[in-house]
Amino acid sequence: MILDYYWQIFPYTIVGFLAVSLAIAILNYFSIRGLDAFPSAQNFPRVSILLPARNEDGNIKDCVESLLAQNYPDFEVLVLNDHSTDQTRAILEQIAQHDPRLKFYDGETLPSGWLGKHWACHQLSQRASGELILFTDADTRHEPNTLRDSVSALIAQNADLVTAFPNQEMLTWGEKLTVPILGFGIICFFPILLTEKLRLPALSVTIGQFMLFRRSAFDAIGGYEAIRNHSVDDIRLGHNIIAHGFRWKLMNGTHHIACRMYHNFSEALDGFTKNLFAVFNHHILLYCISWFWIAFSFLVPIWMLSKSFFMPTWFPVSIALVAVIEAVLMIGIAYHRFRTPAYLVLIYPISVFVFAWIAFRSLIYSITSYRTWKGRDIAPSRFKW
């Protein structure tokens, strides 16, 4: 009896879930403001731009030159060469000869209990002289007004951390099938305005490609030393900022920052496999339920809609159609906000299926054998049911 009743309401449960997600997407679309949405600050404090680099000779020149070209009165660029075995150091030497604002250092030996990037960022933060510190990645490029606009936004909103999602550049189909799901997840499942008002760390998302901190707040939460072995440093730093009573702001940086995270499907597969389970703080039950339900909600209506043209089904055609329309609308909103090509909305079922498979892979690899990244060991996962 109970099972029969559940199957009767199951289609409406999916429609309701998608309706709530669509409402979140619409709210986020209008409430997440751009970095350039605020008046220019009257005073610009000194900023230390901190950039860890390990074997980044394909990215480092464009990134550093874009940072040195900032239209900002007082800043320094600090780069830590994290035991690179390619031409990263030679490129940094060449740039530093022509611009004294660039200072680069060779990383110290990785101590026990630290993850590599975390240790690199910690060393950089110890050398920073700015009242504000900006962490960014070597695969990013920044428009000249990025620093001026982001500092103005931080001051105007009295924020302690401003994080921004960049424009994700994608050239191969492997990237186009996977990377856009990140923006979709942020826009549709994280009620940003509610998170800010109620100070809910668990519903926040921080983007490691752009994190602008007040130095005082960064030090107060313990910086990278407090999260030395946590896989997803950006998420954890954002959680700590909110948990300590500081002000966190997520903003749209797609017109200021560009990033190409991965260059093919293999790189995207490995990168997302490494981090996805850790984003859920290794909660196995929550992780499994979340991804199972997301896959069902977005894929079952498509399957039922096609099936309904040929034979009667317990999933009404009208309900399946409503669910598909909701899905298309919310993904369209997310892709537009992230400047993702509109035609990729048409293949969203493939993207959802692929990412659900990656999510399952991340869980299995975390439990069994996924222990290295860029030639270094990853801390064992601490599972929670």
Side-chain angles (χ1 to χ4, degrees), residues 8 207 220 246 322 382:
Q8 291 177 14
I207 314 298
F246 294 109
V322 169
R382 300 176 181 177

mmCIF file of all heavy atoms in Angstrom, residues 8 207 220 246 322 382:
data_model
loop_
_atom_site.group_PDB
_atom_site.id
_atom_site.type_symbol
_atom_site.label_atom_id
_atom_site.label_comp_id
_atom_site.label_asym_id
_atom_site.label_seq_id
_atom_site.Cartn_x
_atom_site.Cartn_y
_atom_site.Cartn_z
ATOM 1 N N GLN A 8 2.779 6.697 -6.939
ATOM 2 C CA GLN A 8 1.818 7.677 -7.439
ATOM 3 C C GLN A 8 2.330 9.110 -7.277
ATOM 4 O O GLN A 8 2.075 9.970 -8.128
ATOM 5 C CB GLN A 8 0.482 7.517 -6.711
ATOM 6 C CG GLN A 8 -0.263 6.225 -7.041
ATOM 7 C CD GLN A 8 -1.539 6.092 -6.225
ATOM 8 O OE1 GLN A 8 -2.005 7.042 -5.621
ATOM 9 N NE2 GLN A 8 -2.102 4.892 -6.212
ATOM 10 N N ILE A 207 35.454 29.577 -4.286
ATOM 11 C CA ILE A 207 36.162 29.215 -5.510
ATOM 12 C C ILE A 207 37.655 29.483 -5.328
ATOM 13 O O ILE A 207 38.083 30.635 -5.195
ATOM 14 C CB ILE A 207 35.635 30.026 -6.710
ATOM 15 C CG1 ILE A 207 34.105 30.038 -6.729
ATOM 16 C CG2 ILE A 207 36.210 29.491 -8.012
ATOM 17 C CD1 ILE A 207 33.472 28.696 -6.876
ATOM 18 N N ALA A 220 42.889 35.103 11.640
ATOM 19 C CA ALA A 220 42.015 34.747 12.758
ATOM 20 C C ALA A 220 41.452 33.337 12.624
ATOM 21 O O ALA A 220 41.187 32.673 13.637
ATOM 22 C CB ALA A 220 40.872 35.761 12.872
ATOM 23 N N PHE A 246 32.831 35.921 10.338
ATOM 24 C CA PHE A 246 33.258 36.891 9.341
ATOM 25 C C PHE A 246 32.296 36.883 8.151
ATOM 26 O O PHE A 246 31.472 35.982 8.002
ATOM 27 C CB PHE A 246 34.693 36.591 8.881
ATOM 28 C CG PHE A 246 35.716 36.769 9.965
ATOM 29 C CD1 PHE A 246 36.350 35.677 10.537
ATOM 30 C CD2 PHE A 246 36.036 38.040 10.424
ATOM 31 C CE1 PHE A 246 37.290 35.827 11.537
ATOM 32 C CE2 PHE A 246 36.976 38.214 11.424
ATOM 33 C CZ PHE A 246 37.598 37.108 11.989
ATOM 34 N N VAL A 322 6.830 18.739 -17.881
ATOM 35 C CA VAL A 322 7.069 19.829 -16.937
ATOM 36 C C VAL A 322 8.460 19.701 -16.314
ATOM 37 O O VAL A 322 9.201 20.689 -16.192
ATOM 38 C CB VAL A 322 5.983 19.854 -15.841
ATOM 39 C CG1 VAL A 322 6.372 20.818 -14.717
ATOM 40 C CG2 VAL A 322 4.640 20.252 -16.427
ATOM 41 N N ARG A 382 38.745 10.563 5.679
ATOM 42 C CA ARG A 382 38.142 10.198 6.968
ATOM 43 C C ARG A 382 36.636 10.101 6.753
ATOM 44 O O ARG A 382 35.943 11.094 6.740
ATOM 45 C CB ARG A 382 38.493 11.251 8.022
ATOM 46 C CG ARG A 382 39.997 11.407 8.257
ATOM 47 C CD ARG A 382 40.283 12.529 9.227
ATOM 48 N NE ARG A 382 41.711 12.690 9.433
ATOM 49 C CZ ARG A 382 42.260 13.634 10.194
ATOM 50 N NH1 ARG A 382 41.471 14.502 10.814
ATOM 51 N NH2 ARG A 382 43.573 13.723 10.327
#
